[in-house]
Amino acid sequence: MSTENEGTAVPPAPSAPPVPVDAPAASAPQGSDAGAATTAAPQHVSGGAQGPELVHAGPAPAYASAQGQQHGAPGGPEGAWPPPQPPGTPSYADGGAGAGAGGAGAGGAGPTGVWGAGYQQPAPKPKNGRGGLVAAVLVAALVAGGLGGGLGYTLAKNNDNGSSTTLSASDSGGSVKRDAGTVAGVAQRALPSTVTIEAESTNGEGGTGTGFVFDKQGHIVTNNHVVADAVDGGKLTATFPNGKKYDAEVVGHAQGYDVAVIKLKNAPSDLKPLTLGNSDQVAVGDSTIAIGAPFGLSNTVTTGIISAKNRPVASSDGSGSNASYMSALQTDASINPGNSGGPLLDAQGNVIGINSAIQSTSGGGLGGTSQSGSIGLGFAIPINQAKYVAQQLIKTGKPVYAKIGASVSLEDSTGGAKITTEGAGGSAPVEAGGPAAKAGLKPGDVITKLDDHVIDSGPTLIGEIWTHKPGDKVKITYERNGQTHTVDLTLGSRTGDS
């Protein structure tokens, strides 16, 4: 499965409706939204008309089209980095350009000859005996009503034992108390630690995404594709919900993981990092809360549940040069372009993932005129993985990837990840002395499981490997000549994206 990022600048506020005019009918409100997004599931070509399309929840569409970067996939031998990108791999949605405009409506009054000046009050009817009878009946009714009221009061007074209560209407709705465990309570605590990120390249292109406070030193965690435009000399800012805006710089970024860390310049001393949860303990059905800037609408809160775990997702910028892979948390919380990099929270307000991609039925393409939107299929990078990556980026500025030391086919498949017979760039398909070679793996072997996780393709294998750290021991199940074998393998490491 592949995905696309979102990222765009905030669209202009809708224009105010015009003053009503003297017209026979009200004019209908008008509005338009435009944005750019691109993504595709492995089985679909990005921008195709058939079937749903996967889109990254990257920066929201910007007036100047923002181009997202995608990550390479280490995992093969040193000379095989990055591996070739599989066909049909979806692209980031943060690269599009778009603008939204609110419509204006007007209401008009009808002609005065119909509703006003032409109307005359009818002449009063002459009095007669029946009119007097009606008056007499009304007087009798009022008298009877008075008697009834008096009798009722007397009976009530005689039966009063001193325990009667007096009811008085309240002139206010009272105070509203929201518990910490409610969505409102979680949002109230998390929003002050969430920022809207604007990235702009040296040529003026850029987009809008989201990030959240990682530590008190001013580090903000987000997606790589959100800040990619500002990596080489571009401009980067982060705005808090209170309106305070800070310049920022990229500390490190990982294309393969789609994770980046930026740091605020002149960071305030009262930063409150969000609490990180444990994504390994997340269960399908758990409540989720997403915060971001969909289509540039900063500080938007949406809710849903965890729909699935370990969902293999691949994404690319559409150029065929870079790709990112994740074993994602799937959620139906509404995520749109601009949500990328924002926190996915659990019901207690702990960060369990970084919103990164969505699946969409739109055919929006990178740099196009349409922007894909949410259909309830969003994907987040598990926080356990993102935390490790962020710590490495803060420490060294470069990502560290786990690897098996073998090149695998990235073509769509359901039978497993096949080790290729030729490595990228003429290198060996199985790295000499690497983890795969030590475990006895050979070209042509088809890996079908990593530990208990079923492997149906090369991208799925890479995504699963990258949920681990270098040095972790894993169990590899593979097929060779129709026979199934299982071996233990210690993962190696690779530093950097190239």
Side-chain angles (χ1 to χ4, degrees):
M1 177 177 296
S2 25
T3 59
E4 170 187 357
N5 310 337
E6 19 161 328
T8 21
V10 181
S15 58
V19 179
V21 295
D22 186 15
S27 61
Q30 298 177 351
S32 66
D33 282 307
T38 54
T39 57
Q43 67 272 25
H44 301 294
V45 177
S46 179
Q50 301 295 326
E53 177 188 3
L54 280 178
V55 182
H56 262 303
Y63 292 117
S65 67
Q67 308 225 344
Q69 299 285 333
Q70 281 209 307
H71 338 294
E78 300 293 327
W81 175 254
Q85 178 184 336
T89 301
S91 55
Y92 292 127
D94 64 324
T112 55
V114 177
W115 298 106
Y119 175 77
Q120 294 182 353
Q121 184 175 356
K125 294 181 180 180
K127 295 181 179 180
N128 54 28
R130 186 172 181 177
L133 176 62
V134 172
V137 172
L138 288 174
V139 171
L142 289 173
V143 172
L147 290 174
L151 291 173
Y153 171 77
T154 301
L155 292 174
K157 182 177 181 181
N158 292 337
N159 293 331
D160 189 357
N161 58 7
S163 61
S164 61
T165 59
T166 301
L167 299 178
S168 60
S170 174
D171 58 357
S172 68
S175 61
V176 178
K177 184 177 180 180
R178 296 178 176 86
D179 295 332
T182 62
V183 174
V186 170
Q188 186 177 23
R189 296 193 309 274
L191 274 169
S193 298
T194 306
V195 298
T196 298
I197 298 173
E198 294 181 38
E200 183 178 318
S201 65
T202 54
N203 61 5
E205 294 181 344
T208 300
T210 308
F212 61 91
V213 177
F214 187 69
D215 58 28
K216 293 184 177 181
Q217 286 69 49
H219 291 109
I220 305 292
V221 172
T222 184
N223 282 143
N224 172 74
H225 69 262
V226 170
V227 303
D229 286 320
V231 169
D232 297 320
K235 182 180 179 181
L236 196 64
T237 61
T239 305
F240 285 84
N242 61 7
K244 292 184 178 180
K245 190 173 186 177
Y246 297 86
D247 290 332
E249 60 184 355
V250 178
V251 172
H253 60 105
Q255 291 181 349
Y257 292 123
D258 195 18
V259 174
V261 176
I262 66 175
K263 188 175 183 179
L264 304 178
K265 297 179 180 179
N266 302 315
S269 59
D270 58 350
L271 290 175
K272 295 182 179 179
L274 291 183
T275 303
L276 305 185
N278 186 344
S279 52
D280 291 341
Q281 295 180 352
V282 170
V284 173
D286 283 350
S287 296
T288 58
I289 301 169
I291 300 179
F295 295 100
L297 301 175
S298 301
N299 315 316
T300 296
V301 177
T302 56
T303 63
I305 62 169
I306 292 292
S307 305
K309 296 178 60 177
N310 305 313
R311 185 71 76 191
V313 173
S315 54
S316 106
D317 58 6
S319 67
S321 59
N322 296 307
S324 62
Y325 304 91
M326 64 177 126
S327 183
L329 297 175
Q330 180 181 323
T331 180
D332 65 349
S334 181
I335 298 174
N336 286 285
N339 274 106
S340 273
L344 183 68
L345 310 169
D346 62 17
Q348 289 71 46
N350 304 311
V351 181
I352 55 175
I354 300 177
N355 300 318
S356 181
I358 60 174
Q359 179 160 351
S360 175
T361 56
S362 170
L366 189 67
T369 58
S370 63
Q371 179 71 44
S372 300
S374 173
I375 58 171
L377 293 173
F379 304 96
I381 303 166
I383 196 58
N384 288 8
Q385 177 183 3
K387 176 183 177 181
Y388 165 74
V389 177
Q391 290 172 336
Q392 291 294 322
L393 294 176
I394 293 172
K395 183 179 179 180
T396 68
K398 295 182 179 181
V400 178
Y401 297 92
K403 69 172 186 177
I404 64 171
S407 296
V408 296
S409 172
L410 298 181
E411 295 179 357
D412 290 342
S413 170
T414 57
K418 184 178 181 179
I419 299 178
T420 58
T421 55
E422 294 183 4
S427 62
V430 178
E431 179 185 348
K438 291 179 179 178
L441 293 174
K442 297 180 179 180
D445 290 345
V446 179
I447 299 173
T448 58
K449 277 188 178 182
L450 191 151
D451 291 333
D452 294 329
H453 297 285
V454 175
I455 303 301
D456 59 5
S457 66
T460 300
L461 175 63
I462 295 171
E464 285 298 331
I465 290 173
W466 286 354
T467 64
H468 294 272
K469 301 178 181 64
D472 284 354
K473 292 183 178 180
V474 296
K475 190 178 295 293
I476 298 291
T477 301
Y478 67 96
E479 294 180 357
R480 179 188 296 169
N481 299 325
Q483 300 294 319
T484 300
H485 307 272
T486 301
V487 294
D488 292 327
L489 182 149
T490 299
L491 295 173
S493 66
R494 181 186 183 95
T495 302
D497 280 311
S498 58

